[in-house]
Amino acid sequence: MYAAVRVSVNRSSTADFDGDGRTDLSVFRPSDGTWYVMQSGSNTFRAQPFGTSGDRIVPGDYDGDGRTDFAVFRAVSTGGVWYLLRSSDNAFRAVSWGLNTDKPVPGDYDGDGKTDIAVYRSGTWYIVQSSNGQFAAHQFGASSDIPVAAANAQ
């Protein structure tokens, strides 16, 4: 028996930086830590310095405003740190979550319309739910698997 799946048509794409419902052409240039975006709604160019060489990009709508936030995962000696620049108020947030060897797998795992901070480690998903701030762990997959949520990550 299959469970019912909720589908929302009001979600933005992973790279909709201007909130018009369409994916924007965008790149992250590690050499200077800058995101370059051609906003589809206005056909205007935007350059946003955010990150450094070695960071893994983890864009998503972390604040739930329908626009993609600039975000990176940085592996440091003590673990992993998520750096987020919210599009709703241009506020900066740093969150220590994961190990430096984890694969970042951001996604809306709790269905609240916001991207959750999450990592995949040896077949286990570790998620901080944005709806309530609670931690969740789910064993699914093997250590050699590539989590689909991270398939396009660097």
Side-chain angles (χ1 to χ4, degrees):
M1 190 67 157
Y2 294 99
V5 176
R6 276 188 314 159
V7 177
S8 173
V9 295
N10 295 327
R11 304 280 168 97
S12 66
S13 74
T14 302
D16 180 9
F17 293 91
D18 59 4
D20 67 351
R22 297 183 289 169
T23 300
D24 298 320
L25 300 175
S26 56
V27 297
F28 174 72
R29 191 165 296 154
S31 62
D32 64 3
T34 302
W35 300 68
Y36 297 94
V37 179
M38 180 58 72
Q39 297 180 151
S40 56
S42 61
N43 204 34
T44 57
F45 171 78
R46 176 179 181 188
Q48 178 66 54
F50 193 76
T52 63
S53 181
D55 286 347
R56 289 183 250 172
I57 61 170
V58 288
D61 187 5
Y62 293 90
D63 55 9
D65 68 350
R67 293 179 288 165
T68 299
D69 303 318
F70 298 100
V72 296
F73 175 84
R74 185 172 300 155
V76 296
S77 62
T78 57
V81 180
W82 296 69
Y83 296 101
L84 313 171
L85 184 61
R86 296 188 313 219
S87 56
S88 60
D89 58 6
N90 213 32
F92 171 79
R93 181 176 176 212
V95 178
S96 294
W97 185 252
L99 302 177
N100 54 10
T101 55
D102 287 342
K103 296 175 184 169
V105 289
D108 183 7
Y109 297 101
D110 56 7
D112 68 349
K114 296 179 183 179
T115 301
D116 303 318
I117 292 172
V119 295
Y120 181 82
R121 180 186 318 141
S122 300
T124 303
W125 302 70
Y126 299 95
I127 303 165
V128 178
Q129 299 172 359
S130 56
S131 60
N132 58 19
Q134 297 296 308
F135 161 76
H138 303 281
Q139 203 296 311
F140 184 79
S143 60
S144 60
D145 288 345
I146 298 171
V148 175
N152 293 323
Q154 324 171 338

